[in-house]
Amino acid sequence: MRVGITYDLKEAYLAQGYTPEEVAEFDCPETIQAIEEALWAMGCETDPIGTVRDLVRRLALGERWDLVFNIAEGLSGFARESQIPALLEAYAIPCVFSDPLVLSLCLHKAMTKRVLKSAGVPTPDFAVIERPGQAAAVSLAWPLFAKPVAEGTSKGVSARSLCRTPEELLAVCDELLAAHRQPVLVERYLPGREFTVGIMGSGEEAKSLGVMEVLLTENAEAGAYSLENKWLYEDRVKYRLVDDQAARDAARVSLDAWRALSCRDGGRVDVRLNEHGQAEVIEINPLPGLNPDYSDLPILCRLAGMPYQELIAGIVRSACARAGLSLDAPKARRPVRRAAI
């Protein structure tokens, strides 16, 4: 099977003048290499493609692939994560992970929460702030949490995201509107434990890979699994696999959310406990980070005893089952390297 790989590399965008925060979601060459090696071990021929623009050029030249392993986050717009899946869909080329509709929906956290609420999946009450000064009219129960409506990797999230007064909320919302040029999601802050739930599969076949609790150390920014805490996770964050009643509740609501949104193949759902100890969904991650060392899903799998190669193989098998593709028997051959990465 010939598998193309699409991605956005941090170093390529940094060279163009983008800031480290702007490229925080993008990948490093080690991630692409790790995915290639896992695919190679499955008997796949790998072909690194690159960004959506690289894909457009290759498609225009008439190139095709049996499957594309897409981890490209895209550069701009609410639909940026769905650009490559939509393009592949137009050419009838299957790809791993969710379809364009789901990826676009889940990137917009407010739209996602509206769908979850309509499906009866618990998620904190919220408001969307679209212009400076609008936060003064928010009437949700305090404290509140503010973050950009369509960012990943905790971009725009800091200790200041947790707001206890109208003055704090107004200031943070105005700053986020100016810095990220998109609306701000304001939601009730849930004071309980925070989990991320790993999920593999689609529909009724979807299953929990485990529940990982996120614990901030005394060196961390308080109250938030922020971008800075993620960057300095070795000093600021501890992770542990849990299987108590709260964790089982987190897994249950995560699978409810995964199925309500029709997510596919693999990903994560982030959950916190409210003041009554009840699990509520705070974010869906249908395009998860896959760095073998520091991304949350590989960390969770490592704690659960699942090797990285098995994680990638499970994602590919799920996509192949959906697309009616058969995997080749593993062969001892090296990946094909074509695109500049």
Side-chain angles (χ1 to χ4, degrees), residues 216-222 228-229 232 234-237:
L216 302 180
T217 71
E218 60 183 11
N219 297 324
E221 284 189 308
E228 193 170 303
N229 285 339
L232 302 171
E234 290 176 312
D235 181 52
R236 296 187 172 190
V237 186

Side-chain angles (χ1 to χ4, degrees), residues 280-336:
E280 298 194 34
V281 173
I282 52 176
E283 285 195 23
I284 312 290
N285 300 276
L287 192 62
L290 289 176
N291 182 279
D293 295 322
Y294 57 71
S295 291
D296 285 350
L297 184 59
I299 290 173
L300 183 155
C301 290
R302 191 161 62 242
L303 291 172
M306 173 184 281
Y308 184 80
Q309 182 181 323
E310 190 175 331
L311 168 62
I312 301 300
I315 293 167
V316 171
R317 288 193 189 99
S318 175
C320 286
R322 287 190 293 100
L325 298 173
S326 298
L327 285 165
D328 301 329
K331 300 174 183 177
R333 60 186 180 192
R334 299 197 64 77
V336 175

Side-chain angles (χ1 to χ4, degrees), residues 154-341:
S154 294
K155 289 171 64 176
V157 174
S158 69
R160 297 186 67 239
S161 295
L162 175 54
C163 302
R164 301 184 184 282
T165 68
E167 292 74 20
E168 289 179 355
L169 180 67
L170 192 60
V172 169
C173 285
D174 287 357
E175 289 172 14
L176 290 175
L177 285 169
H180 294 272
R181 300 182 298 280
Q182 61 181 269
V184 176
L185 178 77
V186 176
E187 61 185 349
R188 288 190 59 238
Y189 178 73
L190 304 184
R193 297 162 66 189
E194 178 165 349
F195 306 104
T196 190
V197 180
I199 295 180
M200 182 172 287
S202 311
E204 293 304 312
E205 302 298 320
K207 64 179 182 181
S208 167
L209 297 174
V211 180
M212 184 172 76
E213 185 168 9
V214 178
L215 301 163
L216 302 180
T217 71
E218 60 183 11
N219 297 324
E221 284 189 308
Y225 191 26
S226 65
L227 178 62
E228 193 170 303
N229 285 339
K230 288 184 176 181
W231 275 346
L232 302 171
Y233 75 100
E234 290 176 312
D235 181 52
R236 296 187 172 190
V237 186
K238 293 189 180 301
Y239 305 100
R240 66 175 182 178
L241 208 64
V242 288
D243 188 31
D244 52 25
Q245 185 58 52
R248 291 191 285 274
D249 290 344
R252 174 179 51 76
V253 298
S254 295
L255 284 169
D256 288 345
W258 190 259
R259 290 167 180 150
L261 295 165
S262 298
C263 298
R264 306 190 310 204
D265 298 339
R268 295 175 19 246
V269 177
D270 297 335
V271 175
R272 286 189 74 112
L273 301 184
N274 63 23
E275 61 273 30
H276 306 296
Q278 298 164 333
E280 298 194 34
V281 173
I282 52 176
E283 285 195 23
I284 312 290
N285 300 276
L287 192 62
L290 289 176
N291 182 279
D293 295 322
Y294 57 71
S295 291
D296 285 350
L297 184 59
I299 290 173
L300 183 155
C301 290
R302 191 161 62 242
L303 291 172
M306 173 184 281
Y308 184 80
Q309 182 181 323
E310 190 175 331
L311 168 62
I312 301 300
I315 293 167
V316 171
R317 288 193 189 99
S318 175
C320 286
R322 287 190 293 100
L325 298 173
S326 298
L327 285 165
D328 301 329
K331 300 174 183 177
R333 60 186 180 192
R334 299 197 64 77
V336 175
R337 293 190 175 281
R338 302 186 62 175
I341 61 176

